[in-house]
Amino acid sequence: MGLELYLDLHSQPCRAVYIFAKKNNIAFEFKQVDLSAGQQYSEDFGKVNPLRLVPALKDGAFTMGESVAILKYLACKYKTPDHWYPADLQRRARVDEYLAWQHMTVRYQGSRIFMFRVTPLLL
Ligand SMILES: N[C@@H](CCC(=O)N[C@@H](CS)C(=O)NCC(=O)O)C(=O)O
C-alpha cells in the first residue's frame, strides 16, 4: 500500500502538505476528507487520526497527523532537495524555528481573519 494523504484543501495545513508533496513529485493517493460534511468523524478516518483532524498521513500501517510532523516525515523519507529541510544543524534549526513560530502567529491570526471577516460575507 502506498502513501495516502487525507486532506480537505479548504484547510491551510492541508494545502501546505499538498503543495509540498506536489512540488517534490511525491506520489500519493489523495483521500478527500470533507470537513463541512463531517467526514472527519467517520469510523475509517478515526483509524488514521484519532484526533479527527486533517491533514493526516497513512504510509502502509503507519499513520500520523500534524502538518509540521508530516512535512518533516515527507522531507526525510523522500529525500527532498536540501533547501527544504537542510542537513546542516543550524540551517535546519532555522526551518524548525519558523515551523514552530507560524502555528500561533501567521496561521492563528490568518484563521481569525477568515472566521471573522470572510465567513460572514459567505452567509
Ligand atoms: N496543528 C494541526 C491543526 C490541524 C487542524 O486544526 N485541522 C483542522 C482543519 S484546518 C481540522 O481538521 N478540523 C476539523 C474539526 O475541527 O472538526 C496541524 O497543523 O495539522
Side-chain angles (χ1 to χ4, degrees):
M1 206 185 333
L3 177 69
E4 297 174 352
L5 295 176
Y6 291 74
L7 308 167
D8 179 330
L9 293 182
H10 291 101
S11 143
Q12 176 273 320
C14 289
R15 289 194 299 275
V17 168
Y18 177 81
I19 292 167
F20 183 79
K22 285 286 186 189
K23 190 86 189 149
N24 285 289
N25 297 315
I26 296 170
F28 66 92
E29 189 177 337
F30 188 116
K31 297 281 198 178
Q32 171 76 33
V33 181
D34 184 345
L35 296 180
S36 65
Q39 290 178 350
Q40 68 273 37
Y41 300 112
S42 72
E43 197 179 326
D44 281 353
F45 183 66
K47 291 177 192 153
V48 179
N49 188 354
L51 295 179
R52 300 185 180 280
L53 297 172
V54 287
L57 168 153
K58 187 165 193 288
D59 191 8
F62 177 71
T63 58
M64 71 183 297
E66 285 302 321
S67 57
V68 167
I70 291 172
L71 291 168
K72 291 179 186 178
Y73 178 85
L74 294 177
C76 294
K77 173 159 184 183
Y78 294 95
K79 299 183 175 40
T80 55
D82 191 69
H83 63 267
W84 289 105
Y85 200 52
D88 175 80
L89 180 63
Q90 292 182 355
R91 293 185 62 224
R92 176 170 289 207
R94 280 281 171 250
V95 175
D96 285 333
E97 184 180 41
Y98 174 78
L99 291 172
W101 174 82
Q102 56 86 30
H103 269 303
M104 293 308 288
T105 50
V106 180
R107 169 160 155 65
Y108 178 66
Q109 300 302 340
S111 302
R112 285 169 55 83
I113 289 170
F114 185 80
M115 234 181 308
F116 297 119
R117 301 278 181 197
V118 180
T119 309
L121 301 176
L122 303 175
L123 299 176

